[in-house]
């Protein structure tokens, strides 16, 4: 029988002992359908509590400001009411001995004037992503965004810092910077979306500058060991991202530089689609980046119990994040431990309001503390 690497505890993140190596990946679920985009106790609180046996939960992307939004009904982490809402969520998870980070999000150009009183969304350069967005008035095409001024950049850095402060106030165990999946930071990294001629564009170092300025601002208010960062280096043809010959070198530069920080982890995604015919892409992300980074590496995308155990056994990652499996299997860890079948998820209820497809997936196992651990 395969040794259950996923069920081993993990003590390499200082002051953050994890009961196992199964992480709940960040997933937008669009249940904050109230005026202030506030997470609620009976929906968000219950949903995350049901999944608290994960070694670590990373919440859905949560906008750091009004400007940062690009999807309907996503929760924020900029207002007092939102902080109060999140406090209820963290209390429920902590009561079950769980650990929870909040994902800090700015969508950049993956937004629409309908969210901003008719004003343009912000991005590094005025280049349309040619993607779709779900606005309060239905699905629409993205528009050409406004190129951020230096003042806009400064304000956004402040917004992230303030959101991190709010996360501390809401008793999160840490934060994850959403520097992935074609959103604002990724738009800065990539040459096709960033054609700036100032210190934030041109060279690899310049395109990474905004990310490091945000990271440096955040670590003024929360310890480095409580900060995770997420990247999707081989994202191509999705959310307007096009790879080029400098894309992988840009991520190599960033990830090597992150060795100078004492972060909780870096969280990488394997390619979301087939990139075998994209000459610039790296097909095996964990294998490629593991030798470059000396800290904790979390890997995601497309894993199941068997492949999750294998990637840990091979030493390409320390933690594995599971997305969709966690939607339909709240007791995912216990199901792994007891070899139970996996329930399928319903894509129709991924982003709709209410409890259906959210808090109504049943557990089929006893709670983890009744199961003998084999670590
Ligand atoms: C419904 C849904 C919402 C998602 N929302 C986010 C998000 O808010 N932030 C993020 O970084 N990734 C998001 N993702 C991507 C997941 O974190 C993960 O990378 C993806 O589901 C692949 O992992 P899996 O194969 O284990 O599901 C989302 C995925 C799904 C299915």
């Amino acid at each position: 029988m395969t040794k259950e690497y996923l069920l081993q505890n993990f003590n390499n993140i200082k002051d953050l002992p994890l009961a196992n190596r199964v992480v709940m990946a960040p997933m937008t679920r669009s249940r904050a359908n109230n005026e202030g985009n506030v997470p609620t106790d009976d929906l968000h609180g219950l949903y995350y509590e049901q999944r608290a046996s994960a070694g670590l939960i990373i919440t859905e992307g949560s906008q750091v400001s009004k400007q940062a939004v690009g999807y309907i009904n996503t929760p924020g982490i900029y207002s007092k009411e939102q902080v109060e809402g999140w406090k209820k969520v963290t209390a429920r998870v902590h009561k079950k001995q769980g650990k929870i980070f909040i994902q800090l999000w700015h969508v950049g150009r993956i937004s629409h004037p309908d969210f901003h009183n008719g004003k343009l969304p912000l991005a590094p350069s005025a280049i349309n992503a040619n993607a779709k967005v779900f606005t309060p008035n239905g699905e629409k095409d993205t528009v050409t965004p406004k190129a951020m001024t230096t003042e806009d950049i400064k304000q956004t850095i402040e917004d992230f810092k303030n959101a991190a402060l709010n996360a501390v106030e809401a008793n999160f165990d840490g934060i994850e910077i959403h520097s992935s999946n074609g959103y604002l930071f990724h738009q800065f990294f990539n040459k096709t979306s960033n054609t700036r001629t100032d210190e934030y564009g041109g060279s690899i170092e310049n395109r990474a500058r905004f990310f490091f300025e945000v990271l440096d601002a955040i670590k003024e208010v929360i310890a480095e060991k409580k900060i995770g960062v997420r990247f999707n280096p081989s994202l191509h043809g999705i959310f307007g991202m096009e790879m080029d010959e400098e894309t992988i070198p840009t991520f190599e530069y960033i990830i090597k530089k992150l060795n100078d920080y004492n972060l909780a982890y870096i969280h990488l995604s394997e390619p979301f689609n087939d990139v075998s015919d994209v000459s610039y892409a790296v097909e095996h992300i964990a294998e490629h980046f593991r030798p470059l980074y000396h800290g904790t590496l979390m890997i995601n995308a497309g894993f199941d119990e068997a492949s999750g155990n294998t990637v840990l056994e091979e030493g390409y990652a320390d933690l594995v994040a599971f997305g969709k499996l966690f939607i339909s299997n709240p007791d995912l860890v216990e199901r792994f431990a007891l070899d139970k079948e996996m329930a399928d998820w319903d894509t129709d209820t991924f982003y709709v309001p209410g409890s259906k497809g959210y808090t109504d997936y049943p557990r089929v196992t006893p709670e983890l503390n009744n199961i003998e651990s084999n670590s």
Side-chain angles (χ1 to χ4, degrees), residues 25-29 59-61 103 105 176 178 180-181 230 269 272 300-303 321-325 327 350-351:
M27 282 178 292
T28 292
R29 303 303 313 277
T59 71
E60 60 213 274
Q103 192 185 49
W105 195 19
E176 177 175 287
H178 192 355
S180 196
N181 297 353
R230 188 174 214 206
S269 291
F272 276 4
N300 162 254
F303 285 90
F322 297 87
K324 294 181 286 299
L325 275 174
I327 291 180
F350 274 3
Y351 307 111

